[in-house]
Amino acid sequence: MTASRFSLAVNGREYQLDDKLARFDPSSGDQPGGNGASDSPPDWSAGIVGLGYVGLPTALAFHGRCPRIIGIDVSEERLATIAAQQADLAVTDRPRLEAALADGSLELTSKPAAITETDLVIICVPTPVDENHRPDLAALRAACATVVEHARPGQTIILTSTTYVGTTRELLTEPLAAKGLRAGSDVFVAFSPERIDPGNPDHVQRETPRVVGGATPECTQRAAWAISRLTDVVYLVSSTDAAEATKLYENIFRAVSLALANEFADACGTLGLDPIEVTLAAGTKPYGFLAAFPGPGVGGHCIPCDPHYLLWQLERQDRPSPLIEQAMRSIANRPGRVADRAAELLAAGGTDLAGATVIVVGVVSRRPFR
């Protein structure tokens, strides 16, 4: 682990954290499949398990940096969509998909046995919640079990799906050990939370730092080398559990901020103020404030789902988390509040909501990514 100057700004003060967090030095890491940086094979391969909104961009980010990329997905329909270059992608990724298919570096398959052929395995499957906001672990468990079944010595295996603390240990490290593959010597297991911001051209993978935590220090080094092919900056944490908790904290922070922004917007409405104006004004403070704008809901997959993975885990240990719980209730109730506000505005104009025609602009149906 190579230390470097790292600091965190909190309420206008800078704190040096060199002894808490290290930045990975790519020249010190070992390539997947190699026995040392000096004898790493030039023809290493990467397997991406799950080709949804995280997996496909991840596979494409390896183009030009990995000679052979195998994209694995259980859906033949999804694979056909990708092969036809019809998959939803950022504008910058479309030329990469065309190039990767044209030069043959990207292979698409639904056969899980292809995992055995790869030196690096990255798991990118959805982690939704059910109608009761309980984690739906079906895809996650199935993907991890498949990887364990087809794992071979020497592989680096990285889980990226947002999930509960302990997942990598429970679903990868321990089952692999039961199979006779010990993490840190036979295989190299790590968690590195994805940080893809779909549809936002301002946040590209190459410029977005990543966090890596391995089952052992050697696991961390190998996984960090692989993730450094995707981004210029990789930070190392002490364990897979710490890396898993990092992603939960990121998304919970966003959830609480959005819930607060929506609640404050309602307060501004009561006081006859413009919440956007007030938010922009507060955002001029250079410390102690992070702006979030109100809206009809939080949207996307992550924020409505991911905090429930921590709440579910804490509930099993009889540990309440009242602030997060209230934030998630507020988020769930927000669309209803928007509908109520529409009814209020219509009533003020003498129109009953039941007889009105309302157009909603900028809302798309939520559909799962495989």
Side-chain angles (χ1 to χ4, degrees):
M1 183 179 291
T2 303
S4 65
R5 182 178 176 85
F6 183 80
S7 63
L8 179 67
V10 180
N11 291 334
R13 293 181 179 271
E14 186 179 36
Y15 296 86
Q16 298 302 317
L17 300 174
D18 292 348
D19 60 337
K20 289 294 184 182
L21 203 61
R23 180 167 168 172
F24 175 70
D25 178 2
S27 66
S28 69
D30 187 18
Q31 194 168 333
N35 297 314
S38 61
D39 66 350
S40 298
D43 57 348
W44 69 285
S45 57
I48 312 300
V49 179
L51 295 175
Y53 80 94
V54 172
L56 181 56
T58 298
L60 297 178
F62 276 115
H63 183 250
R65 296 173 176 269
C66 177
R68 187 184 184 197
I69 309 157
I70 303 178
I72 306 165
D73 199 284
V74 296
S75 171
E76 295 286 357
E77 179 183 357
R78 177 64 176 172
L79 294 174
T81 299
I82 295 170
Q85 301 183 41
Q86 298 299 315
D88 293 336
L89 280 172
V91 174
T92 53
D93 276 337
R94 293 190 178 279
R96 291 179 183 173
L97 176 59
E98 181 179 4
L101 291 173
D103 64 21
S105 59
L106 175 61
E107 305 171 23
L108 303 174
T109 182
S110 61
K111 298 178 180 178
I115 293 170
T116 306
E117 303 176 29
T118 65
D119 299 301
L120 168 68
V121 182
I122 298 183
I123 304 170
C124 309
V125 297
T127 50
V129 294
D130 61 21
E131 61 277 6
N132 296 314
H133 295 143
R134 299 288 182 180
D136 180 353
L137 303 174
L140 183 66
R141 292 188 184 281
C144 289
T146 298
V147 169
V148 170
E149 178 184 357
H150 296 281
R152 61 166 176 79
Q155 284 182 320
T156 299
I157 301 172
I158 305 173
L159 178 62
T160 70
S161 306
T162 307
T163 183
Y164 62 93
V165 175
T167 298
T168 308
R169 180 166 27 85
E170 294 174 12
L171 300 187
L172 288 175
T173 306
E174 293 173 357
L176 284 165
K179 183 182 176 179
L181 297 174
R182 292 185 303 165
S185 56
D186 302 311
V187 290
F188 305 92
V189 182
F191 184 84
S192 179
E194 58 87 4
R195 282 178 171 171
I196 290 178
D197 194 4
N200 190 342
D202 295 332
H203 299 153
V204 297
Q205 286 197 75
R206 175 56 50 188
E207 299 171 358
T208 304
R210 291 281 293 269
V211 169
V212 173
T216 69
E218 179 64 18
C219 291
T220 302
Q221 287 290 312
R222 296 238 185 175
W225 188 95
I227 296 300
S228 73
R229 304 304 93 186
L230 304 174
T231 178
D232 294 329
V233 179
V234 180
Y235 290 108
L236 313 180
V237 293
S238 60
S239 65
T240 56
D241 286 19
E244 290 160 348
T246 297
K247 184 54 184 290
L248 288 176
Y249 193 16
E250 293 172 21
N251 286 355
I252 289 170
F253 176 86
R254 185 65 174 158
V256 172
S257 298
L258 290 170
L260 175 60
N262 288 335
E263 186 170 315
F264 192 79
D266 289 343
C268 285
T270 300
L271 300 173
L273 298 171
D274 179 354
I276 302 301
E277 177 190 14
V278 174
T279 300
L280 291 172
T284 62
K285 186 179 181 180
Y287 57 90
F289 182 80
L290 294 174
F293 292 113
V298 296
H301 164 82
C302 297
I303 306 306
C305 296
D306 296 345
H308 290 291
Y309 275 72
L310 178 65
L311 292 176
W312 167 77
Q313 190 170 24
L314 294 178
E315 182 183 336
R316 295 169 70 191
Q317 299 183 39
D318 197 28
R319 293 295 299 270
S321 186
L323 177 62
I324 302 173
E325 292 167 5
Q326 181 55 49
M328 297 312 293
R329 280 194 294 269
S330 296
I331 285 172
N333 293 335
R334 185 62 180 175
R337 172 63 188 132
V338 172
D340 290 342
R341 180 59 178 154
E344 292 170 5
L345 292 173
L346 287 168
T351 303
D352 184 78
L353 180 61
T357 300
V358 179
I359 182 171
V360 180
V361 181
V363 176
V364 297
S365 61
R366 182 180 173 191
R367 57 193 179 95
F369 286 93
R370 294 184 180 276

